[in-house]
């Protein structure tokens, strides 16, 4: 997580600012930095809080990061997935399909604000960033109760890739992987099957 409004830096830019080749910097300086300044994400892309890096390199006490969550914090797919109760792959799929904002890229990592993830969590049945169902589409007048639910795509993919698997088994597997109840996934599979043309 990148706390709101906190400048960040990666190791290549730290070495560049120091005027040292990145290979030399990683051999001579990186071990000490990594020991005292934690990376902001559990990722192959190492990103650090810039103020913490500067404090460490100048021998000053390392400042603490904010401990309270804020809507403008930036989360990676792992952190967003933990909040939504889905997998990181599903978070990326949501962004591709428009069920989450595209997010922002920081040093090749795709990130989302905590606010956008919370809005998705609060309004799982509506595509895009808004909340709730569109006016006039609730109750018995709505033709498909899960219309616009991103889980329909997951259900349809499961039906396509596992055509011989009993629907109850698919529902149990999807519930374990993505959250929600087995019964919910059975309904989603049923609706997805109705929307998918027969082969």
């Amino acid at each position: 997580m990148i706390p709101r409004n906190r400048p960040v830096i990666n190791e290549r830019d730290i070495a560049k600012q120091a005027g040292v080749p990145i290979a030399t910097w990683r051999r001579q300086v990186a071990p000490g930095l990594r020991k005292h300044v934690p990376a902001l994400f559990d990722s192959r892309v190492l990103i650090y809080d810039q103020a913490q890096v500067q404090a460490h390199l100048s021998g000053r006490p390392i400042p603490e990061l904010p401990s309270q969550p804020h809507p403008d914090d930036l989360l990676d797919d792992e952190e967003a997935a933990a909040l939504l109760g889905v997998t990181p792959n599903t978070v990326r799929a949501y962004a591709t399909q428009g069920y989450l904002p595209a997010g922002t890229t920081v040093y090749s990592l795709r990130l989302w604000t905590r606010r956008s993830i919370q809005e998705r969590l609060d309004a799982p049945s509506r595509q895009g960033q808004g909340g709730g169902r569109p006016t006039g589409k609730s109750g018995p007048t709505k033709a498909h109760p899960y219309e616009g639910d991103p889980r329909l795509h997951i259900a349809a993919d499961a039906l396509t890739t596992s055509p011989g698997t009993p629907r109850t088994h698919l529902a149990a597997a999807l519930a374990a992987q993505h959250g929600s109840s087995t019964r919910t996934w059975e309904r989603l599979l049923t609706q997805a099957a109705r929307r998918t043309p027969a082969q």
Side-chain angles (χ1 to χ4, degrees), residues 36-155:
H36 295 95
V37 180
L40 296 174
F41 297 102
D42 184 13
S43 166
R44 62 179 181 80
V45 181
L46 297 177
I47 300 176
Y48 304 91
D49 180 79
Q50 187 168 300
Q52 289 190 328
V53 170
Q54 291 172 343
H56 169 72
L57 295 178
S58 63
R60 293 182 283 109
I62 298 174
E64 295 287 337
L65 295 177
S67 59
Q68 296 300 316
H70 188 277
D72 292 334
D73 295 340
L74 292 174
L75 313 179
D76 69 358
D77 54 3
E78 295 274 356
E79 294 165 326
L83 288 177
L84 291 173
V86 298
T87 66
N89 284 341
T90 300
V91 171
R92 294 191 293 273
Y94 281 2
T96 300
Q97 297 162 2
Y99 299 109
L100 275 175
T104 187
T105 302
V106 178
Y107 286 122
S108 80
L109 282 182
R110 197 173 185 185
L111 307 173
W112 293 266
T113 62
R114 188 184 300 278
R115 177 185 288 105
S116 66
I117 300 303
Q118 188 62 50
E119 287 175 352
R120 174 74 264 167
L121 187 63
D122 292 342
S125 63
R126 183 175 178 185
Q127 181 174 347
Q129 301 178 41
R133 293 177 176 174
T135 303
K137 295 296 184 180
S138 61
T141 61
K142 189 175 182 181
H144 303 289
Y146 291 100
E147 192 69 42
D149 193 314
R151 294 173 296 181
L152 276 176
H153 294 280
I154 300 171

Side-chain angles (χ1 to χ4, degrees), residues 167-184:
R167 201 168 289 174
T168 53
H169 294 179
L170 279 179
L174 291 169
Q177 183 177 3
H178 298 287
S180 299
S181 68
T182 299
R183 183 63 184 138
T184 295

